[in-house]
Amino acid sequence: MAAEAKHFKYVILGGGVAAGYAAREFGKQGVNPGELAIISKEPVAPYERPALSKGYLFPENAARLPGFHTCVGSGGERLLPEWYSEKGIELILSTEIVKADLASKTLTSAAGATFTYETLLIATGSSVIKLTDYGVQGAESNNILYLRDIADADKLVAAMQAKKDGKVVIVGGGYIGLELSAALKMNNFDVTMVYPEPWCMPRLFTSGIAHFYEGYYSNKGIKIVKGTVAAGFEADANGDVTAVKLKDGRVLEADIVVVGVGGRPLTALFKGQVADEKGGLKTDAFFETSVPGVYAIGDVATFPLKLYNEQRRVEHVDHARKSAEQAVQAIKAKESGESVPEYDYLPYFYSRSFDIAWQFYGDNVGDDVLFGDNNPASANHKFGSYWVKDGKVVGVFLEGGSAEENQAIARVARAQPAVADVEALKTEGLEFATKI
Ligand code: FAD
């Protein structure tokens, strides 16, 4: 039988967050049945990926599909598979594209099917960095797990059921490490985090911010081992991991290991075909790459961040959503000889674990000014940090903010107000933001 060959006006390659929001935008702008396809390696319609390290792992009332399909994460409509079929948008699932020939506008799947397009949106996201990539001894043992997609999350849930109340070592002190440590602790595991840096989330947190989270986690019973890395693993006769060997010689018992040491944008299919920069596919302010008619959105795009006048790549869900909407609006406007304003993004990151939640807007450069109560033992903890560069506030972090307060810090990061007196800013704290 000849391999499948299909043609679409628009193809979205990847079926994650950016794909779901792009599809919704196509729906809003108007798309004829049969014009649009989403091709995804995953077996399910686009969903809100952040749920995997939060609600999906809750001990009670855990989130499950179809509950968190896009676009519920931003308070929008939940696009069930029926939504796509009603609109005539084809969901081509469980299909990995292994070759992209942009000159002939052809994608080829692992099974040999070909898909041609007029306009392509690349939304392949990131893959996790694995310890096996670095040949870490014993890293292929059972129950050494990663988290990027539903299949990974299901493996973690199965391991949690098999190793109830056991010992977990979390390798990595970033987003994934912090959120998963909390989730596993809530499931009654004995949790130890290991990371090489002097404090957690060093890419964003200052030592003052990290002081709170490390203290809060310790108070919840999570052990933290800093300044060393996992150098190898021990396993039993079944190949199940039993211990993590640290570089400093210590050995930690483990029934489950979860590794969160970062990701890499999935751009290899386009190497040599599309201009790249800073590890991503370089785009203009409308997310069009160096190849006309080929767009890159979400984690894979290195785009002009107008506010800071530089090219950036952002691996966060808010940008995945907004870049998708911008690209589709630009594509549709171009077709009718119109244009849309340039993308003008304000970086926004957030995280939640236990009963704590933080938000960050802007840029974490310059001098940091910690304010508020960052005592982890305090019942009324609320604190934050400003970043001041060239006499202006360029970034704001806030733990425990209300909706209004979070809106206020976003306004500050966008407006970049001048600060004459940094000491006064520290004393004024959150009020500086709420009065703007
Ligand atoms: P993805 O959502 O990763 O989607 C990429 C899709 O492309 C996937 O479906 C993948 O299978 C598919 N694909 C890739 N290659 C191929 C191929 N060759 N053929 C076919 N399909 C392919 N961000 C935050 O701001 N806050 C958070 O709290 C937060 N939590 C997170 C928790 C977890 C567990 C993870 C993994 C990420 C989290 N993020 C968070 C980051 C956020 O989810 C990503 O930035 C966002 O999903 C990026 O969207 P995307 O569409 O670019 O990529």
Side-chain angles (χ1 to χ4, degrees), residues 13-19 39-42 49-50 52-54 95-98 123-126 147-148 175-176 179 266 269 297-300 315-318 320 348-351:
L13 173 54
V17 174
I39 306 176
S40 178
K41 211 159 58 175
E42 292 190 74
R49 197 163 304 282
L52 298 182
S53 55
K54 304 175 185 67
T95 301
E96 182 178 10
I97 295 300
V98 294
T124 42
S126 306
L147 185 59
R148 183 74 208 176
Y175 264 98
I176 296 286
E179 293 187 359
L266 283 167
L269 286 174
I297 53 180
D299 283 6
V300 291
E315 287 183 1
H316 291 287
V317 71
D318 180 60
Y348 162 50
F349 321 142
Y350 71 90
S351 181

mmCIF file of all heavy atoms in Angstrom, residues 13-19 39-42 49-50 52-54 95-98 123-126 147-148 175-176 179 266 269 297-300 315-318 320 348-351, ligand 1:
data_model
loop_
_atom_site.group_PDB
_atom_site.id
_atom_site.type_symbol
_atom_site.label_atom_id
_atom_site.label_comp_id
_atom_site.label_asym_id
_atom_site.label_seq_id
_atom_site.Cartn_x
_atom_site.Cartn_y
_atom_site.Cartn_z
ATOM 1 N N LEU A 13 3.210 22.046 13.071
ATOM 2 C CA LEU A 13 4.010 20.871 13.439
ATOM 3 C C LEU A 13 4.281 20.912 14.931
ATOM 4 O O LEU A 13 4.979 21.799 15.428
ATOM 5 C CB LEU A 13 5.323 20.848 12.642
ATOM 6 C CG LEU A 13 6.309 19.752 13.056
ATOM 7 C CD1 LEU A 13 5.663 18.372 13.034
ATOM 8 C CD2 LEU A 13 7.525 19.773 12.159
ATOM 9 N N GLY A 14 3.707 19.943 15.652
ATOM 10 C CA GLY A 14 3.759 19.917 17.116
ATOM 11 C C GLY A 14 2.342 20.090 17.628
ATOM 12 O O GLY A 14 1.536 20.799 17.017
ATOM 13 N N GLY A 15 2.059 19.403 18.750
ATOM 14 C CA GLY A 15 0.678 19.448 19.263
ATOM 15 C C GLY A 15 0.630 19.843 20.713
ATOM 16 O O GLY A 15 -0.118 19.276 21.509
ATOM 17 N N GLY A 16 1.446 20.844 21.081
ATOM 18 C CA GLY A 16 1.473 21.275 22.479
ATOM 19 C C GLY A 16 0.722 22.574 22.697
ATOM 20 O O GLY A 16 -0.290 22.851 22.047
ATOM 21 N N VAL A 17 1.253 23.368 23.620
ATOM 22 C CA VAL A 17 0.566 24.590 24.023
ATOM 23 C C VAL A 17 0.415 25.559 22.845
ATOM 24 O O VAL A 17 -0.684 26.048 22.553
ATOM 25 C CB VAL A 17 1.329 25.280 25.178
ATOM 26 C CG1 VAL A 17 0.699 26.620 25.504
ATOM 27 C CG2 VAL A 17 1.335 24.382 26.417
ATOM 28 N N ALA A 18 1.526 25.846 22.170
ATOM 29 C CA ALA A 18 1.469 26.820 21.076
ATOM 30 C C ALA A 18 0.506 26.331 19.998
ATOM 31 O O ALA A 18 -0.277 27.125 19.444
ATOM 32 C CB ALA A 18 2.859 27.056 20.500
ATOM 33 N N ALA A 19 0.520 25.033 19.705
ATOM 34 C CA ALA A 19 -0.369 24.481 18.678
ATOM 35 C C ALA A 19 -1.833 24.708 19.045
ATOM 36 O O ALA A 19 -2.644 25.132 18.204
ATOM 37 C CB ALA A 19 -0.095 22.993 18.497
ATOM 38 N N ILE A 39 0.015 18.271 13.348
ATOM 39 C CA ILE A 39 0.692 16.962 13.339
ATOM 40 C C ILE A 39 1.482 16.845 14.639
ATOM 41 O O ILE A 39 2.340 17.675 14.922
ATOM 42 C CB ILE A 39 1.652 16.824 12.142
ATOM 43 C CG1 ILE A 39 0.907 17.107 10.828
ATOM 44 C CG2 ILE A 39 2.278 15.432 12.123
ATOM 45 C CD1 ILE A 39 1.802 17.087 9.588
ATOM 46 N N SER A 40 1.160 15.851 15.439
ATOM 47 C CA SER A 40 1.793 15.723 16.750
ATOM 48 C C SER A 40 2.233 14.296 17.040
ATOM 49 O O SER A 40 1.521 13.333 16.748
ATOM 50 C CB SER A 40 0.820 16.171 17.846
ATOM 51 O OG SER A 40 1.429 16.004 19.106
ATOM 52 N N LYS A 41 3.390 14.224 17.649
ATOM 53 C CA LYS A 41 3.934 12.954 18.134
ATOM 54 C C LYS A 41 3.064 12.396 19.252
ATOM 55 O O LYS A 41 2.985 11.197 19.464
ATOM 56 C CB LYS A 41 5.307 13.306 18.717
ATOM 57 C CG LYS A 41 6.360 12.299 18.659
ATOM 58 C CD LYS A 41 7.740 12.931 18.791
ATOM 59 C CE LYS A 41 7.982 13.741 20.043
ATOM 60 N NZ LYS A 41 9.353 14.220 20.165
ATOM 61 N N GLU A 42 2.419 13.286 19.980
ATOM 62 C CA GLU A 42 1.631 12.846 21.144
ATOM 63 C C GLU A 42 0.287 12.263 20.689
ATOM 64 O O GLU A 42 -0.234 12.639 19.640
ATOM 65 C CB GLU A 42 1.409 14.029 22.099
ATOM 66 C CG GLU A 42 2.704 14.467 22.750
ATOM 67 C CD GLU A 42 2.477 15.459 23.881
ATOM 68 O OE1 GLU A 42 2.020 15.013 24.946
ATOM 69 O OE2 GLU A 42 2.750 16.645 23.692
ATOM 70 N N ARG A 49 0.509 22.101 29.189
ATOM 71 C CA ARG A 49 1.625 21.286 29.702
ATOM 72 C C ARG A 49 1.935 21.538 31.187
ATOM 73 O O ARG A 49 2.273 20.599 31.916
ATOM 74 C CB ARG A 49 2.865 21.528 28.821
ATOM 75 C CG ARG A 49 3.942 20.506 28.954
ATOM 76 C CD ARG A 49 4.922 20.557 27.782
ATOM 77 N NE ARG A 49 4.283 20.417 26.481
ATOM 78 C CZ ARG A 49 3.867 19.259 25.969
ATOM 79 N NH1 ARG A 49 4.053 18.133 26.616
ATOM 80 N NH2 ARG A 49 3.268 19.224 24.793
ATOM 81 N N PRO A 50 1.847 22.787 31.688
ATOM 82 C CA PRO A 50 2.187 23.008 33.097
ATOM 83 C C PRO A 50 1.389 22.152 34.076
ATOM 84 O O PRO A 50 1.846 21.900 35.191
ATOM 85 C CB PRO A 50 1.888 24.501 33.302
ATOM 86 C CG PRO A 50 2.137 25.105 31.952
ATOM 87 C CD PRO A 50 1.602 24.075 30.981
ATOM 88 N N LEU A 52 1.088 19.115 34.122
ATOM 89 C CA LEU A 52 1.748 17.820 34.371
ATOM 90 C C LEU A 52 2.578 17.804 35.646
ATOM 91 O O LEU A 52 2.741 16.764 36.273
ATOM 92 C CB LEU A 52 2.646 17.442 33.184
ATOM 93 C CG LEU A 52 1.941 17.239 31.846
ATOM 94 C CD1 LEU A 52 2.956 16.822 30.794
ATOM 95 C CD2 LEU A 52 0.828 16.202 31.956
ATOM 96 N N SER A 53 3.129 18.972 36.021
ATOM 97 C CA SER A 53 3.960 18.990 37.237
ATOM 98 C C SER A 53 3.176 19.527 38.426
ATOM 99 O O SER A 53 3.743 19.734 39.493
ATOM 100 C CB SER A 53 5.212 19.837 36.996
ATOM 101 O OG SER A 53 4.841 21.128 36.555
ATOM 102 N N LYS A 54 1.902 19.755 38.221
ATOM 103 C CA LYS A 54 1.073 20.316 39.306
ATOM 104 C C LYS A 54 -0.134 19.400 39.490
ATOM 105 O O LYS A 54 -0.006 18.329 40.092
ATOM 106 C CB LYS A 54 0.669 21.757 38.951
ATOM 107 C CG LYS A 54 1.887 22.642 38.657
ATOM 108 C CD LYS A 54 1.488 24.031 38.198
ATOM 109 C CE LYS A 54 2.694 24.864 37.780
ATOM 110 N NZ LYS A 54 3.390 24.383 36.572
ATOM 111 N N THR A 95 2.026 10.857 15.481
ATOM 112 C CA THR A 95 2.743 10.917 14.201
ATOM 113 C C THR A 95 3.985 11.783 14.371
ATOM 114 O O THR A 95 3.880 12.999 14.556
ATOM 115 C CB THR A 95 1.812 11.524 13.110
ATOM 116 O OG1 THR A 95 0.652 10.697 13.013
ATOM 117 C CG2 THR A 95 2.507 11.609 11.764
ATOM 118 N N GLU A 96 5.132 11.141 14.319
ATOM 119 C CA GLU A 96 6.369 11.907 14.456
ATOM 120 C C GLU A 96 6.911 12.281 13.085
ATOM 121 O O GLU A 96 7.034 11.429 12.203
ATOM 122 C CB GLU A 96 7.434 11.096 15.217
ATOM 123 C CG GLU A 96 8.700 11.916 15.389
ATOM 124 C CD GLU A 96 9.799 11.219 16.184
ATOM 125 O OE1 GLU A 96 9.658 10.005 16.450
ATOM 126 O OE2 GLU A 96 10.775 11.882 16.520
ATOM 127 N N ILE A 97 7.197 13.546 12.918
ATOM 128 C CA ILE A 97 7.833 13.992 11.670
ATOM 129 C C ILE A 97 9.342 13.791 11.831
ATOM 130 O O ILE A 97 9.936 14.250 12.813
ATOM 131 C CB ILE A 97 7.475 15.468 11.383
ATOM 132 C CG1 ILE A 97 5.972 15.602 11.111
ATOM 133 C CG2 ILE A 97 8.308 16.021 10.223
ATOM 134 C CD1 ILE A 97 5.422 14.801 9.935
ATOM 135 N N VAL A 98 9.924 13.088 10.877
ATOM 136 C CA VAL A 98 11.359 12.794 10.980
ATOM 137 C C VAL A 98 12.167 13.546 9.929
ATOM 138 O O VAL A 98 13.393 13.571 9.975
ATOM 139 C CB VAL A 98 11.642 11.272 10.891
ATOM 140 C CG1 VAL A 98 11.065 10.556 12.095
ATOM 141 C CG2 VAL A 98 11.101 10.679 9.594
ATOM 142 N N ALA A 123 6.056 24.284 15.893
ATOM 143 C CA ALA A 123 5.715 24.397 17.321
ATOM 144 C C ALA A 123 6.140 23.122 18.027
ATOM 145 O O ALA A 123 5.362 22.483 18.727
ATOM 146 C CB ALA A 123 4.218 24.634 17.474
ATOM 147 N N THR A 124 7.409 22.753 17.804
ATOM 148 C CA THR A 124 7.894 21.463 18.314
ATOM 149 C C THR A 124 8.364 21.513 19.769
ATOM 150 O O THR A 124 8.695 20.470 20.340
ATOM 151 C CB THR A 124 9.036 20.930 17.412
ATOM 152 O OG1 THR A 124 9.893 22.024 17.065
ATOM 153 C CG2 THR A 124 8.508 20.317 16.143
ATOM 154 N N GLY A 125 8.417 22.702 20.368
ATOM 155 C CA GLY A 125 8.724 22.785 21.802
ATOM 156 C C GLY A 125 10.127 22.304 22.151
ATOM 157 O O GLY A 125 11.067 22.440 21.366
ATOM 158 N N SER A 126 10.252 21.717 23.313
ATOM 159 C CA SER A 126 11.570 21.292 23.808
ATOM 160 C C SER A 126 11.546 19.818 24.189
ATOM 161 O O SER A 126 10.486 19.245 24.449
ATOM 162 C CB SER A 126 11.935 22.070 25.076
ATOM 163 O OG SER A 126 11.843 23.445 24.849
ATOM 164 N N LEU A 147 10.155 14.499 32.960
ATOM 165 C CA LEU A 147 8.768 14.943 32.768
ATOM 166 C C LEU A 147 8.678 15.985 31.671
ATOM 167 O O LEU A 147 9.130 17.125 31.838
ATOM 168 C CB LEU A 147 8.213 15.519 34.083
ATOM 169 C CG LEU A 147 6.744 15.911 34.067
ATOM 170 C CD1 LEU A 147 5.845 14.728 33.728
ATOM 171 C CD2 LEU A 147 6.326 16.513 35.414
ATOM 172 N N ARG A 148 8.103 15.573 30.555
ATOM 173 C CA ARG A 148 7.838 16.548 29.481
ATOM 174 C C ARG A 148 6.418 16.381 28.935
ATOM 175 O O ARG A 148 5.762 17.342 28.617
ATOM 176 C CB ARG A 148 8.853 16.368 28.345
ATOM 177 C CG ARG A 148 8.716 17.380 27.210
ATOM 178 C CD ARG A 148 9.232 18.754 27.598
ATOM 179 N NE ARG A 148 8.539 19.797 26.858
ATOM 180 C CZ ARG A 148 8.733 21.096 27.058
ATOM 181 N NH1 ARG A 148 9.617 21.524 27.932
ATOM 182 N NH2 ARG A 148 8.045 21.981 26.372
ATOM 183 N N TYR A 175 12.607 24.848 38.023
ATOM 184 C CA TYR A 175 11.141 24.751 38.042
ATOM 185 C C TYR A 175 10.643 23.345 38.329
ATOM 186 O O TYR A 175 9.856 23.107 39.217
ATOM 187 C CB TYR A 175 10.621 25.031 36.622
ATOM 188 C CG TYR A 175 10.181 26.404 36.340
ATOM 189 C CD1 TYR A 175 11.032 27.295 35.699
ATOM 190 C CD2 TYR A 175 8.899 26.821 36.646
ATOM 191 C CE1 TYR A 175 10.617 28.566 35.384
ATOM 192 C CE2 TYR A 175 8.485 28.095 36.330
ATOM 193 C CZ TYR A 175 9.343 28.959 35.701
ATOM 194 O OH TYR A 175 8.937 30.211 35.396
ATOM 195 N N ILE A 176 11.120 22.431 37.485
ATOM 196 C CA ILE A 176 10.615 21.056 37.556
ATOM 197 C C ILE A 176 10.992 20.454 38.903
ATOM 198 O O ILE A 176 10.176 19.823 39.573
ATOM 199 C CB ILE A 176 11.193 20.230 36.380
ATOM 200 C CG1 ILE A 176 10.694 20.805 35.051
ATOM 201 C CG2 ILE A 176 10.869 18.751 36.498
ATOM 202 C CD1 ILE A 176 9.271 20.524 34.703
ATOM 203 N N GLU A 179 8.760 22.015 41.687
ATOM 204 C CA GLU A 179 7.347 21.612 41.621
ATOM 205 C C GLU A 179 7.184 20.111 41.902
ATOM 206 O O GLU A 179 6.243 19.695 42.584
ATOM 207 C CB GLU A 179 6.752 21.988 40.270
ATOM 208 C CG GLU A 179 6.655 23.505 40.100
ATOM 209 C CD GLU A 179 5.909 23.950 38.855
ATOM 210 O OE1 GLU A 179 5.467 23.079 38.084
ATOM 211 O OE2 GLU A 179 5.771 25.171 38.668
ATOM 212 N N LEU A 266 13.521 21.803 20.187
ATOM 213 C CA LEU A 266 13.570 20.773 19.134
ATOM 214 C C LEU A 266 13.613 21.441 17.760
ATOM 215 O O LEU A 266 12.569 21.688 17.154
ATOM 216 C CB LEU A 266 12.357 19.855 19.266
ATOM 217 C CG LEU A 266 12.453 18.828 20.392
ATOM 218 C CD1 LEU A 266 11.111 18.168 20.662
ATOM 219 C CD2 LEU A 266 13.502 17.769 20.059
ATOM 220 N N LEU A 269 15.306 19.294 12.991
ATOM 221 C CA LEU A 269 14.726 19.018 11.672
ATOM 222 C C LEU A 269 15.002 20.134 10.673
ATOM 223 O O LEU A 269 14.924 19.920 9.459
ATOM 224 C CB LEU A 269 13.202 18.877 11.787
ATOM 225 C CG LEU A 269 12.613 17.621 12.411
ATOM 226 C CD1 LEU A 269 11.103 17.771 12.552
ATOM 227 C CD2 LEU A 269 12.941 16.410 11.533
ATOM 228 N N ILE A 297 6.994 29.201 16.624
ATOM 229 C CA ILE A 297 6.311 29.760 17.800
ATOM 230 C C ILE A 297 6.639 28.939 19.047
ATOM 231 O O ILE A 297 7.073 27.795 18.950
ATOM 232 C CB ILE A 297 4.762 29.807 17.568
ATOM 233 C CG1 ILE A 297 4.225 28.428 17.154
ATOM 234 C CG2 ILE A 297 4.420 30.851 16.518
ATOM 235 C CD1 ILE A 297 2.713 28.386 16.910
ATOM 236 N N GLY A 298 6.419 29.560 20.204
ATOM 237 C CA GLY A 298 6.653 28.839 21.465
ATOM 238 C C GLY A 298 8.133 28.708 21.777
ATOM 239 O O GLY A 298 8.947 29.579 21.448
ATOM 240 N N ASP A 299 8.487 27.606 22.420
ATOM 241 C CA ASP A 299 9.854 27.387 22.921
ATOM 242 C C ASP A 299 10.943 27.478 21.843
ATOM 243 O O ASP A 299 12.093 27.783 22.155
ATOM 244 C CB ASP A 299 9.973 25.983 23.541
ATOM 245 C CG ASP A 299 9.359 25.887 24.932
ATOM 246 O OD1 ASP A 299 8.733 26.857 25.386
ATOM 247 O OD2 ASP A 299 9.501 24.812 25.555
ATOM 248 N N VAL A 300 10.595 27.148 20.595
ATOM 249 C CA VAL A 300 11.645 27.064 19.560
ATOM 250 C C VAL A 300 12.010 28.410 18.946
ATOM 251 O O VAL A 300 13.006 28.515 18.231
ATOM 252 C CB VAL A 300 11.252 26.103 18.391
ATOM 253 C CG1 VAL A 300 11.225 24.665 18.859
ATOM 254 C CG2 VAL A 300 9.939 26.513 17.742
ATOM 255 N N GLU A 315 11.164 30.038 27.237
ATOM 256 C CA GLU A 315 10.563 28.699 27.398
ATOM 257 C C GLU A 315 9.487 28.740 28.458
ATOM 258 O O GLU A 315 9.626 28.116 29.514
ATOM 259 C CB GLU A 315 11.647 27.694 27.809
ATOM 260 C CG GLU A 315 12.580 27.336 26.696
ATOM 261 C CD GLU A 315 13.600 26.283 27.107
ATOM 262 O OE1 GLU A 315 13.566 25.826 28.264
ATOM 263 O OE2 GLU A 315 14.429 25.935 26.263
ATOM 264 N N HIS A 316 8.451 29.520 28.221
ATOM 265 C CA HIS A 316 7.364 29.621 29.190
ATOM 266 C C HIS A 316 6.020 29.623 28.480
ATOM 267 O O HIS A 316 5.909 30.052 27.334
ATOM 268 C CB HIS A 316 7.522 30.863 30.064
ATOM 269 C CG HIS A 316 8.684 30.757 30.988
ATOM 270 N ND1 HIS A 316 8.659 29.927 32.084
ATOM 271 C CD2 HIS A 316 9.905 31.313 30.955
ATOM 272 C CE1 HIS A 316 9.832 29.999 32.693
ATOM 273 N NE2 HIS A 316 10.607 30.838 32.029
ATOM 274 N N VAL A 317 5.023 29.209 29.236
ATOM 275 C CA VAL A 317 3.724 28.934 28.632
ATOM 276 C C VAL A 317 3.036 30.204 28.124
ATOM 277 O O VAL A 317 2.375 30.191 27.086
ATOM 278 C CB VAL A 317 2.861 28.133 29.638
ATOM 279 C CG1 VAL A 317 2.407 28.987 30.816
ATOM 280 C CG2 VAL A 317 1.693 27.490 28.962
ATOM 281 N N ASP A 318 3.196 31.308 28.831
ATOM 282 C CA ASP A 318 2.523 32.547 28.434
ATOM 283 C C ASP A 318 3.002 32.993 27.049
ATOM 284 O O ASP A 318 2.198 33.386 26.193
ATOM 285 C CB ASP A 318 2.831 33.617 29.500
ATOM 286 C CG ASP A 318 2.199 34.955 29.199
ATOM 287 O OD1 ASP A 318 0.954 34.999 29.099
ATOM 288 O OD2 ASP A 318 2.930 35.953 29.058
ATOM 289 N N ALA A 320 4.330 30.972 24.810
ATOM 290 C CA ALA A 320 3.874 29.965 23.833
ATOM 291 C C ALA A 320 2.477 30.353 23.332
ATOM 292 O O ALA A 320 2.189 30.323 22.132
ATOM 293 C CB ALA A 320 3.859 28.574 24.459
ATOM 294 N N TYR A 348 6.751 36.931 31.321
ATOM 295 C CA TYR A 348 5.931 36.577 32.493
ATOM 296 C C TYR A 348 6.160 35.102 32.816
ATOM 297 O O TYR A 348 5.931 34.246 31.960
ATOM 298 C CB TYR A 348 4.450 36.833 32.183
ATOM 299 C CG TYR A 348 3.481 36.136 33.113
ATOM 300 C CD1 TYR A 348 3.619 36.236 34.493
ATOM 301 C CD2 TYR A 348 2.420 35.383 32.610
ATOM 302 C CE1 TYR A 348 2.729 35.585 35.349
ATOM 303 C CE2 TYR A 348 1.524 34.744 33.452
ATOM 304 C CZ TYR A 348 1.687 34.835 34.814
ATOM 305 O OH TYR A 348 0.814 34.193 35.652
ATOM 306 N N PHE A 349 6.641 34.825 34.017
ATOM 307 C CA PHE A 349 6.826 33.441 34.469
ATOM 308 C C PHE A 349 6.102 33.274 35.798
ATOM 309 O O PHE A 349 5.980 34.238 36.555
ATOM 310 C CB PHE A 349 8.302 33.092 34.714
ATOM 311 C CG PHE A 349 9.279 33.654 33.730
ATOM 312 C CD1 PHE A 349 10.523 34.116 34.152
ATOM 313 C CD2 PHE A 349 8.986 33.715 32.379
ATOM 314 C CE1 PHE A 349 11.454 34.629 33.249
ATOM 315 C CE2 PHE A 349 9.907 34.227 31.463
ATOM 316 C CZ PHE A 349 11.133 34.686 31.904
ATOM 317 N N TYR A 350 5.705 32.057 36.093
ATOM 318 C CA TYR A 350 5.041 31.809 37.376
ATOM 319 C C TYR A 350 5.290 30.374 37.804
ATOM 320 O O TYR A 350 5.666 29.526 36.989
ATOM 321 C CB TYR A 350 3.525 32.052 37.259
ATOM 322 C CG TYR A 350 2.831 30.988 36.452
ATOM 323 C CD1 TYR A 350 2.321 29.832 37.057
ATOM 324 C CD2 TYR A 350 2.731 31.103 35.079
ATOM 325 C CE1 TYR A 350 1.732 28.832 36.304
ATOM 326 C CE2 TYR A 350 2.137 30.118 34.320
ATOM 327 C CZ TYR A 350 1.636 28.980 34.939
ATOM 328 O OH TYR A 350 1.061 27.987 34.188
ATOM 329 N N SER A 351 5.067 30.117 39.063
ATOM 330 C CA SER A 351 5.091 28.736 39.530
ATOM 331 C C SER A 351 4.219 28.620 40.776
ATOM 332 O O SER A 351 3.993 29.618 41.474
ATOM 333 C CB SER A 351 6.523 28.314 39.844
ATOM 334 O OG SER A 351 6.557 26.967 40.280
HETATM 335 P P1 FAD B 1 5.206 22.007 23.771
HETATM 336 O O1 FAD B 1 4.039 22.370 24.589
HETATM 337 O O2 FAD B 1 6.285 21.200 24.377
HETATM 338 O O3 FAD B 1 4.670 21.233 22.494
HETATM 339 C C1 FAD B 1 5.537 20.669 21.535
HETATM 340 C C2 FAD B 1 4.793 19.579 20.797
HETATM 341 O O4 FAD B 1 5.491 19.209 19.617
HETATM 342 C C3 FAD B 1 4.603 18.309 21.595
HETATM 343 O O5 FAD B 1 3.294 17.849 21.402
HETATM 344 C C4 FAD B 1 5.610 17.355 20.950
HETATM 345 O O6 FAD B 1 5.278 16.006 21.096
HETATM 346 C C5 FAD B 1 5.512 17.796 19.517
HETATM 347 N N1 FAD B 1 6.639 17.431 18.658
HETATM 348 C C6 FAD B 1 7.943 17.732 18.857
HETATM 349 N N2 FAD B 1 8.687 17.251 17.834
HETATM 350 C C7 FAD B 1 7.826 16.644 16.985
HETATM 351 C C8 FAD B 1 7.996 15.960 15.754
HETATM 352 N N3 FAD B 1 9.201 15.811 15.186
HETATM 353 N N4 FAD B 1 6.900 15.447 15.158
HETATM 354 C C9 FAD B 1 5.675 15.607 15.716
HETATM 355 N N5 FAD B 1 5.467 16.250 16.873
HETATM 356 C C10 FAD B 1 6.529 16.765 17.500
HETATM 357 N N6 FAD B 1 5.902 27.290 31.848
HETATM 358 C C11 FAD B 1 5.445 28.271 32.656
HETATM 359 O O7 FAD B 1 5.479 29.444 32.255
HETATM 360 N N7 FAD B 1 4.921 28.000 33.897
HETATM 361 C C12 FAD B 1 4.862 26.730 34.370
HETATM 362 O O8 FAD B 1 4.403 26.508 35.501
HETATM 363 C C13 FAD B 1 5.351 25.666 33.560
HETATM 364 N N8 FAD B 1 5.285 24.395 33.983
HETATM 365 C C14 FAD B 1 5.771 23.396 33.195
HETATM 366 C C15 FAD B 1 5.721 22.084 33.639
HETATM 367 C C16 FAD B 1 6.211 21.047 32.864
HETATM 368 C C17 FAD B 1 6.135 19.628 33.376
HETATM 369 C C18 FAD B 1 6.798 21.324 31.607
HETATM 370 C C19 FAD B 1 7.372 20.207 30.753
HETATM 371 C C20 FAD B 1 6.851 22.624 31.133
HETATM 372 C C21 FAD B 1 6.340 23.674 31.918
HETATM 373 N N9 FAD B 1 6.367 24.995 31.478
HETATM 374 C C22 FAD B 1 5.881 26.001 32.277
HETATM 375 C C23 FAD B 1 6.898 25.339 30.142
HETATM 376 C C24 FAD B 1 5.779 25.358 29.098
HETATM 377 O O9 FAD B 1 4.953 24.242 29.252
HETATM 378 C C25 FAD B 1 6.387 25.391 27.699
HETATM 379 O O10 FAD B 1 7.119 26.593 27.572
HETATM 380 C C26 FAD B 1 5.300 25.296 26.626
HETATM 381 O O11 FAD B 1 4.643 24.070 26.682
HETATM 382 C C27 FAD B 1 5.896 25.508 25.245
HETATM 383 O O12 FAD B 1 4.909 25.303 24.285
HETATM 384 P P2 FAD B 1 5.295 24.722 22.840
HETATM 385 O O13 FAD B 1 4.019 24.558 22.105
HETATM 386 O O14 FAD B 1 6.401 25.522 22.280
HETATM 387 O O15 FAD B 1 5.913 23.285 23.154
#
